[in-house]
Amino acid sequence: MSIKNIKNRLLESSKQDNTWAERAKYRKENKAWLDISFAIAVKVMSAIKTNKTSNTFPKTQKELAQALGCSPQYVNKVLKGTENLQLETITKIQQILNINLIEVPEFQTTVHVQVEEYKQYNKSDESVNVESSLSNYEELFGAYSYENEPDYYLKLVA
């Protein structure tokens, strides 16, 4: 057999991996959640290692799978950092391992209050009978002069 024939037979029988480009494209398109999934995997593995040291349940991937109610193969995928985790799964892992994997900031609102400048109100020369009934409210209100005053004193500014 000649060297040329041997090379041809080796080329025909050897496997060539042509999927590397597809995998690279997938990783690039899904980089955001893959990075988060990897960070979660590292934290879960660290928690399992700590549990193993302190002899706390779950201390193995198998025990974590039992606690989650899933297969050890699924836990293995999670710990590879390539699994697109659902919030339900993340929450279960957090509760079982007593760790915080994802933190959602609390909803906060800010209300700005603009206070109008203090102005002095002068009583008019009219006499007002304060002891009269509430029907004279208009008379009492009219006894004070409001110079260029708006209908409100505080206004909310968003």
Side-chain angles (χ1 to χ4, degrees), residues 78-146:
V78 169
L79 295 179
K80 284 183 179 179
T82 58
E83 189 65 20
N84 192 354
L85 298 169
Q86 294 181 354
L87 289 174
E88 179 183 10
T89 306
I90 293 170
T91 304
K92 282 181 182 179
I93 293 170
Q94 287 182 143
Q95 291 171 343
I96 291 167
L97 293 174
N98 196 24
I99 58 175
N100 194 7
L101 297 173
I102 294 180
E103 188 173 315
V104 179
E106 290 184 28
F107 179 73
Q108 296 179 353
T109 59
T110 304
V111 177
H112 299 280
V113 178
Q114 182 177 345
V115 180
E116 295 292 327
E117 189 178 312
Y118 174 76
K119 297 185 180 171
Q120 185 174 2
Y121 300 104
N122 300 319
K123 187 172 181 191
S124 68
D125 292 336
E126 294 180 28
S127 66
V128 177
N129 184 3
V130 178
E131 295 175 3
S132 62
S133 68
L134 290 176
S135 63
N136 290 331
Y137 175 76
E138 292 292 329
E139 183 182 351
L140 177 64
F141 189 76
Y144 291 90
S145 63
Y146 298 91

Side-chain angles (χ1 to χ4, degrees), residues 26-28 30-39 81-83:
Y26 174 81
R27 283 192 305 270
K28 186 177 180 181
N30 298 294
K31 183 180 181 346
W33 70 262
L34 281 169
D35 287 348
I36 294 170
S37 182
F38 180 76
T82 58
E83 189 65 20

Side-chain angles (χ1 to χ4, degrees), residues 8-19:
N8 286 337
R9 285 185 81 186
L10 284 173
L11 286 174
E12 289 172 5
S13 64
S14 67
K15 270 188 171 178
Q16 293 186 1
D17 185 12
N18 296 330
T19 60

